[in-house]
Each structure stands twice: as C-alpha cells, then as structure tokens.
Amino acid sequence: MQIYLDYSATTPTRKEAIAVMQTILTQQWGNPSSLHEWGQRAATVVEQARVQVAGLINAANSESIIFTSGGTEADNLAIMGVARLYAVPQHIIISSIEHSAISETVRLLEVWGWEVTRLSVDIKGKVNPLDLKAALRHNTVLVSIIYGQSEVGTVQPIAELGKIVRSHGALFHTDAVQAAGRLPIDVQQLPIDLLSLSSHKIYGPQGAGALYVRPGVDLMPLVSGGGQEMGLRSGTQAVPIIAGFGIAAELAAEELPTETPRLIELRDRAFAQLAEIPGLIPTGDACDRLPHHISLCLENADGEKLSGKALVRQLNLAGIGISAGAACHSGKLSPSPILLAMGYSEKAALGGIRITLGRDTTAADIDWTVMVLKQVLQRLTPDLSLVKR
C-alpha cells in the first residue's frame, strides 16, 4: 500500500498538463521570440498560459505575470528586484518564519548593509499586525510576509498586513506558493504588490513559477539578456513547462470551490484522530490554516531515535510519505527553525512532522496513516500508553 501525503513538497503532474506539454514538445516547439510562424505559435502558447495563471489570482492584466523557474526564483526576483533599485541600503521587514528562499536572500542583503527586521510570531505562527506597524521606518521599502507557512500551515492576515504596508508607502510581497490553488486569492482586492507562485505545488510540472507584479511597480531584473518576460527575466522561455503550468492553474481555479472544502474535511478528520495519540502536539493555527495541511510535533523527541526524521523513515517503510521539519547537517539533527521561532523548545522542534493532503487523498488514507503512526510510536516508545486522552 502506497500513500503519498507530502503534497506541500510537490504534487504529481496532472494528466492534462502532461498532455499539453507533449503537444508543445512535438508540434509547437518554436522559440517564442522568433517572428516566423513557428515562433509565433510558441509565443501564443506562452501568452495563453500567462492568462491562465493570471486567472488563478484574478490579476486584471496578464502582463503582470512574470514566468520564472519556480517559487524560489520568484521570491528572489521580488526581494532582489526591489533592493537593486537602491544605490544605498534601505530597510526591509520579513517574518521570522519565512521560507528559506526569502530568509536566505534577505541574509545576503544584510551582508550588503541593509537593515532587516524579522517580526516575531506567536505560538500559532501568526504575525501581530501591531508589531508590523511598530517596525515600519521612514526607509522601509519592502515588507515580505508568507501567505501560508509551509511547515506549520498557518495562514497570515494578509489583507490587514498589506493595508498597513500600503498606508506607509512601502511595497508588500507575499510568498503564496502554498496558498495558491488551495485558497481563493484576488490580487485586485488584496493590497499586494508582489506575489510568488509555483507550478509544481498545483499539479503542474516542476521547473516553472511566476511572480505577480502589480502594474506600476518597478523591479530591477536579476538576469540580463534578450529582455523576455517584460524585461524582467531574460532567456528563452521554457514553453512546454509554462504551458503545463498554465493548464494546471486554470484547472486549480475551476476545482477550488469543491476541492478546498473536501481537503478541509479530510484535514479535520486527521486532526480529530491524531488528538487521541499522547505525546503529539498540533502545531500552527487551528482555524487560520491551509486546507490541506496537518502538522504536529513530538513532545518528547530525544534525538535520532525519536524525532520527526525518525517518524518519516518509519512511515516510509510502511509505504507512507510525509515530511519532517528538523534538518540534518553533518550527521547531526538540527531543530526546526520555524518551531523555534514559534516558541517551542529545542526538543520539541526536533520532533516536527508535516502531513499534507491532495487530490488523490481519501478518508481511508487518513485512517490507515493514523493507525500506522500509532503503531510506530508504540514501538518507539513502548512505555507510552496510546489510549484516548
């Protein structure tokens, strides 16, 4: 029995995306920058995908969508694209639980003399809007707050945070890689200037992403060359990959009204059953949460034998794929920086696990996974009584 429950890491490419990619590879393989028929057919494919991705977030102008190689590049283009506009280092604000595509990029800016404020979060992983308001300075040029946190599932009050930033006159970016296609996003209503997307999180192919750039927002390109993607991302576009991304985005938007409530029902079913297992603590916000996301940590993780990584390995042996928050460096486990930022102890931060659901997940998958997890914990901690609390 094989059960994949790591949809926040990547999703299987849906058959509709594979079909359109095969068509492009065999029939519309021209360079979209070329003026002849072959090139124009390819250019039409790219622009159609741009319209489809724009539709996923209700962007009024498809030219606001800049295709990239993925969410990481989109994040980098947002941060560095703004920073490179300034000859003198300024001030930037992020949260303490950003994806490494943001946190590592900002760390580089610090080396270059930029001032960085990292907003703390509460035990649920939520940013306090009052903290953001207090952190803004006269030279704050950009604020970046993740929309839905990939490890613990917490969804931030993006509308409120964006409103604060806009009233100050700074730019507001959000990494919506985990939220897009799972929550309705309307950039015409939300005070967002820049928003990152990823194809392979919504059943499109790996290797494509996009940055939404609100009309009128200036960025400095990171890659120079032929001036593709409205001059912000030079290089010949990966037409088949972009086409697959486009159809995945269109179908995600169509399925959102039915798929999101289905995932919420499965997520809550899992949390209800997992609550019966002593020693497992739910992490993240129970209410403001990604629909497909379940995260917990071991109360008494004690290193390699009993850790999030150990649970991942054990469930993998049983044919179940989940993920862990702690990282392994030079053979030594390091606690999850996200859980540490949320106030968890180092021991608990070694025991974080993430179970994420998708289109193929069923109630039977949930029930079986919880049963296996109980058995694994019983074996790893025989003194722990796995009875209903």
Side-chain angles (χ1 to χ4, degrees):
M1 191 171 185
Q2 295 279 301
I3 301 175
Y4 181 76
L5 296 174
D6 200 14
Y7 286 84
S8 276
T10 197
T11 58
T13 307
R14 59 188 307 156
K15 66 180 189 300
E16 297 92 341
I18 294 171
V20 74
M21 291 165 64
Q22 289 175 330
T23 299
I24 305 305
L25 285 165
T26 55
Q27 300 175 28
Q28 293 169 291
W29 39 261
N31 185 326
S33 296
S34 299
L35 296 178
H36 48 60
E37 182 180 345
W38 290 266
Q40 292 311 293
R41 283 201 298 260
T44 299
V45 169
V46 171
E47 294 316 307
Q48 173 63 25
R50 206 183 303 280
V51 170
Q52 291 168 318
V53 173
L56 179 62
I57 58 174
N58 198 34
N61 186 349
S62 64
E63 291 188 355
S64 298
I65 302 298
I66 308 301
F67 286 120
T68 66
S69 64
T72 292
E73 186 186 344
D75 284 344
N76 273 256
L77 179 56
I79 301 297
M80 300 301 290
V82 171
R84 291 179 65 180
L85 293 171
Y86 295 89
V88 176
Q90 305 292 317
H91 177 236
I92 185 172
I93 298 172
I94 65 172
S95 79
S96 58
I97 56 167
E98 294 299 309
H99 188 277
S100 57
I102 296 293
S103 61
E104 291 302 313
T105 305
V106 167
R107 188 169 285 116
L108 179 60
L109 286 181
E110 280 187 297
V111 173
W112 294 346
W114 279 66
E115 297 177 289
V116 177
T117 297
R118 295 172 177 83
L119 299 176
S120 61
V121 295
D122 62 20
I123 193 69
K124 297 179 180 180
K126 193 77 76 71
V127 171
N128 187 331
L130 295 178
D131 290 344
L132 172 59
K133 188 176 291 188
L136 289 164
R137 304 178 189 172
H138 72 280
N139 65 336
T140 304
V141 297
L142 178 66
V143 175
S144 182
I145 306 292
I146 195 165
Y147 203 120
Q149 215 291 319
S150 58
E151 187 176 329
V152 297
T154 298
V155 174
Q156 301 295 338
I158 291 297
E160 186 177 1
L161 297 173
K163 185 177 180 181
I164 292 169
V165 176
R166 179 159 292 179
S167 66
H168 184 78
L171 294 176
F172 184 52
H173 167 257
T174 185
D175 179 339
V177 163
Q178 294 292 337
R182 295 172 175 126
L183 292 172
I185 297 175
D186 186 344
V187 293
Q188 293 190 58
Q189 299 297 320
L190 291 169
I192 292 171
D193 300 296
L194 301 157
L195 181 145
S196 301
L197 301 166
S198 175
S199 166
H200 75 104
K201 307 296 188 183
I202 59 169
Y203 307 95
Q206 296 174 355
L211 179 67
Y212 162 77
V213 182
R214 185 177 292 281
V217 172
D218 291 327
L219 293 178
M220 187 74 76
L222 305 187
V223 180
S224 300
Q228 291 89 343
E229 295 303 305
M230 278 57 80
L232 289 177
R233 208 271 187 175
S234 292
T236 301
Q237 292 100 329
V239 181
I241 302 295
I242 288 171
F245 183 14
I247 191 65
E250 182 178 278
L251 293 172
E254 290 177 3
E255 295 167 358
L256 193 66
T258 55
E259 182 64 1
T260 294
R262 189 188 75 87
L263 289 172
I264 290 173
E265 184 177 346
L266 289 175
R267 179 200 70 189
D268 293 347
R269 179 189 186 98
F271 270 122
Q273 295 183 32
L274 290 164
E276 300 179 357
I277 305 179
L280 275 182
I281 307 169
T283 56
D285 195 298
C287 299
D288 293 326
R289 187 175 195 89
L290 292 168
H292 70 302
H293 200 289
I294 300 147
S295 59
L296 312 105
C297 69
L298 288 161
E299 193 171 18
N300 295 305
D302 61 0
E304 189 65 27
K305 180 183 175 183
L306 185 62
S307 65
K309 289 276 187 184
L311 292 184
V312 170
R313 294 191 195 99
Q314 291 296 318
L315 265 68
N316 182 58
L317 292 173
I320 301 169
I322 66 169
S323 65
C328 187
H329 302 288
S330 303
K332 183 178 179 181
L333 273 178
S334 298
S336 160
I338 302 301
L339 291 178
L340 290 177
M342 291 166 60
Y344 286 88
S345 68
E346 287 199 11
K347 180 177 283 191
L350 286 170
I353 60 171
R354 179 185 72 183
I355 300 170
T356 45
L357 320 178
R359 294 176 65 236
D360 297 325
T361 307
T362 66
D365 292 336
I366 297 297
D367 298 345
W368 182 265
T369 299
V370 173
M371 182 191 72
V372 171
L373 185 55
K374 284 181 179 180
Q375 292 176 347
V376 167
L377 283 170
Q378 182 92 68
R379 186 166 65 250
L380 294 178
T381 56
D383 56 324
L384 192 63
S385 176
L386 296 177
V387 295
K388 186 172 182 178
R389 285 182 288 184

